[in-house]
Each structure stands twice: as structure tokens, then as C-alpha cells.
Amino acid sequence: DTDLQGRPDAFNPVELLLAAVAACMIKGVERVTPLLNFELNGVEVRLKAARQDSPPLITSIDYEIIVDTAESDQRLDLLHKNIRKYGTISNTVGRATALDGRIIRRAAI
């Protein structure tokens, strides 16, 4: 999306950045779950960026990692620590702006 009017069929640069952070977190889940013998049925990442106009920059990114699992809260926290520790993109972005969030269990439907 490089058109000044925007394009609904393409990501703008901020959306691309957020997609990269989310992809990094999902890749982290895929990488560490076998090592931790962590059982899950699915994962979802939600992100929200705060933007400043002048000068234009992202001031913070908040995230929520939603995991469909029966693992204990302690194991869920361990998964989160590993995702944060070994994420190349999330660690890089976290050095440039505030990157804060949490991991939660998907509520039973």
C-alpha cells in the first residue's frame, strides 16, 4: 500500500511491521513448543500500535498472545518467556519502541 489514498487490498507499512512482529511470535511458538513438550490446539496474536504524528513514529506496541491449551499457568508463562527471549523481530522492535503484552488462555466456548 503505497498509494496516498490507501488500498484495502494491501498492508500499509505499519500493518507490515505489526504482521512481522506477529509472525515472529507465532514462529516462536512453533519453535519452542516441541522443546518444551507443550501441548496446544492453536494460537492467535493480536497487536495494537500507538502512533505519534510529529515526528511520525510508533510509540508503543501492545500485544496479546491467545493460546488454546490445557497446560498449567506456569507452563503458559514459560512459553511466553521463551517467545519473548528468542524472537529476532520482536527483540529488534522492542529495542526501538515499547513492546508490552501478555499471554492468555483461550476461554472455553
Side-chain angles (χ1 to χ4, degrees):
D1 175 17
T2 56
D3 188 306
L4 290 177
Q5 305 304 314
R7 288 182 43 189
D9 63 334
F11 285 156
N12 67 39
V14 173
E15 291 167 333
L16 282 170
L17 175 68
L18 296 177
V21 172
C24 177
M25 291 177 172
I26 292 168
K27 183 64 178 177
V29 170
E30 291 174 341
R31 185 178 331 122
V32 301
T33 51
L35 299 173
L36 299 175
N37 198 25
F38 191 98
E39 299 284 332
L40 61 85
N41 297 315
V43 65
E44 176 183 350
V45 177
R46 296 180 185 170
L47 297 113
K48 186 187 305 184
R51 183 181 183 277
Q52 164 183 302
D53 285 336
S54 182
L57 60 90
I58 301 298
T59 58
S60 66
I61 298 172
D62 294 323
Y63 68 86
E64 192 170 63
I65 304 169
I66 304 155
V67 182
D68 185 0
T69 186
E71 295 276 359
S72 70
D73 289 346
Q74 292 80 13
R75 301 258 301 146
L76 199 59
D77 289 341
L78 178 62
L79 177 64
H80 189 209
K81 286 177 185 167
N82 277 272
I83 293 166
R84 285 302 306 257
K85 185 174 182 177
Y86 297 109
T88 301
I89 301 302
S90 58
N91 284 337
T92 302
V93 169
R95 287 186 178 217
T97 192
L99 178 63
D100 295 305
R102 64 187 183 142
I103 193 167
I104 61 171
R105 181 182 323 283
R106 179 170 303 285
I109 296 174

